[in-house]
Amino acid sequence: MRLILLLSAVLFFSVSCQAQPKNEFGLKVTSDIKQYKQEIKNNPILELVNLREYEGLFFDIKYATSENFTKEIIYPSAEAFARKQVATNLMRANKTFNERGLALKIFDAYRPYSATVKFYEIYRDTNYVASPYIGSRHNRGCAVDITLVDMETGEELPMPTAYDNFTEKAHPNFEDLPANLIANRDYLIETMQQFGFKVYPTEWWHFDFNGWEQFNLLDIKFEDLKEL
Ligand SMILES: [Zn+2]
C-alpha cells in the first residue's frame, strides 16, 4: 500500500512538472499563443505591447533586413514589442531626450526565442549572443537595442560603433574614443538608468529593464501578437 502511495505521488509529481515542458535546452519557453493569452489574462503585467503604437519613437529593425551580423532576414516584419512597463518607461526616457531635441531609435526589442537559437548557431560567442541554455532578456520582452537620433531629422547621433559591432570598442566603459562619442554614449546610458534600464557590459546599445527576472521566456511570433 505504501509503495502504491509512493508510486502515485511520484507519478503525480512528474505529471505536474510536465505542465509546461522544457525545451531541448532545458528551458520553459511559452511558444503557444493560447498559453500566452492565458498568461496575460492571469497576470496583465505580462502583456507585450506594440511600440509602433506609441508616438515619438524611431525604428530601424535590423533583423527585419539583411543588414545585421547574420546577413539574413530573421524577422518577417519590422516589429517592435515590449512588456507594457518596459514601454511606459521607454516613453518616459524618450520625453527626457526630447527636451534636448533628441529621440530614441529602436533597433530591436522583443525577440522570439527561436531567433536567439538561430543567432547562437551562427555566432557562438556568448559575450555577444545569448546562450539558448539561458535565453536572452530580449526573449522576455525586457530588453531594447537603441540609439539616439535628432527628433526633427531622424539622423543618428555619432556613437562609438555601429550596431552589433562585436569588439571592445562597443563596451560601454571603452574610453579610447573622441570626447563627443563618449559624451553621447554616456548621456544615453545615464538617462536610461534613471528610467530603470541597465546597459549591457559589452554593448552600448543594449539595455535590460530592471526586474526582467519576473518575466518568462517567449517564442510567440510577431504575426500572432499583431492579431491579438
Ligand atoms: Zn540587445
Side-chain angles (χ1 to χ4, degrees):
M1 186 61 187
R2 251 190 211 170
L3 186 66
I4 292 168
L5 275 177
L6 184 69
L7 281 176
S8 50
V10 168
L11 187 69
F12 175 76
F13 185 69
S14 59
V15 166
S16 57
C17 283
Q18 278 167 6
Q20 190 183 7
K22 288 181 179 174
N23 69 7
E24 57 180 310
F25 297 102
L27 295 179
K28 289 184 178 179
V29 180
T30 298
S31 54
D32 180 70
I33 188 71
K34 278 191 210 134
Q35 190 186 335
Y36 166 76
K37 277 163 84 174
Q38 191 59 47
E39 284 169 4
I40 59 173
K41 202 172 160 194
N42 295 344
N43 187 0
I45 71 159
L46 297 178
E47 187 186 357
L48 286 169
V49 296
N50 191 341
L51 294 175
R52 292 216 180 249
E53 288 172 10
Y54 292 74
E55 277 198 15
L57 295 173
F58 288 73
F59 297 90
D60 182 8
I61 308 300
K62 295 287 192 188
Y63 298 121
T65 74
S66 54
E67 257 182 77
N68 65 69
F69 79 98
T70 71
K71 308 271 185 274
E72 287 177 40
I73 296 171
I74 303 288
Y75 296 161
S77 53
E79 302 301 335
F81 289 88
R83 304 282 188 176
K84 204 184 259 172
Q85 191 60 52
V86 178
T88 302
N89 284 38
L90 203 61
M91 292 313 295
R92 286 184 187 145
N94 200 47
K95 231 174 161 186
T96 298
F97 291 125
N98 289 167
E99 288 166 14
R100 288 208 195 176
L102 302 170
L104 285 168
K105 176 151 117 174
I106 316 281
F107 293 130
D108 195 23
Y110 159 66
R111 178 187 304 157
Y113 174 82
S114 48
T116 290
V117 176
K118 188 161 188 173
F119 291 175
Y120 181 72
E121 284 165 356
I122 295 170
Y123 196 86
R124 294 205 171 213
D125 183 348
T126 52
N127 285 314
Y128 295 99
V129 169
S131 161
Y133 292 94
I134 296 167
S136 162
R137 288 149 202 184
H138 284 286
N139 308 146
R140 297 175 189 265
C142 289
V144 283
D145 295 337
I146 51 176
T147 194
L148 287 171
V149 296
D150 181 304
M151 68 186 283
E152 299 302 328
T153 65
E155 200 170 317
E156 284 182 27
L157 250 63
M159 287 290 180
T161 67
Y163 179 57
D164 271 356
N165 174 304
F166 297 155
T167 70
E168 255 184 56
K169 228 176 155 183
H171 296 193
N173 60 0
F174 191 82
E175 296 298 329
D176 187 14
L177 293 164
N180 64 321
L181 302 191
I182 293 180
N184 291 343
R185 177 194 68 193
D186 291 357
Y187 172 58
L188 173 68
I189 293 170
E190 282 156 23
T191 309
M192 291 302 287
Q193 245 165 22
Q194 289 170 30
F195 293 94
F197 292 89
K198 193 174 166 204
V199 73
Y200 196 67
T202 57
E203 301 173 347
W204 62 261
W205 58 83
H206 175 111
F207 291 84
D208 291 317
F209 186 62
N210 296 335
W212 56 266
E213 301 89 341
Q214 309 160 48
F215 298 89
N216 57 336
L217 296 161
L218 300 172
D219 195 17
I220 305 293
K221 294 187 188 96
F222 292 161
E223 290 66 38
D224 290 341
L225 290 172
K226 274 166 77 179
E227 276 175 24
L228 292 180

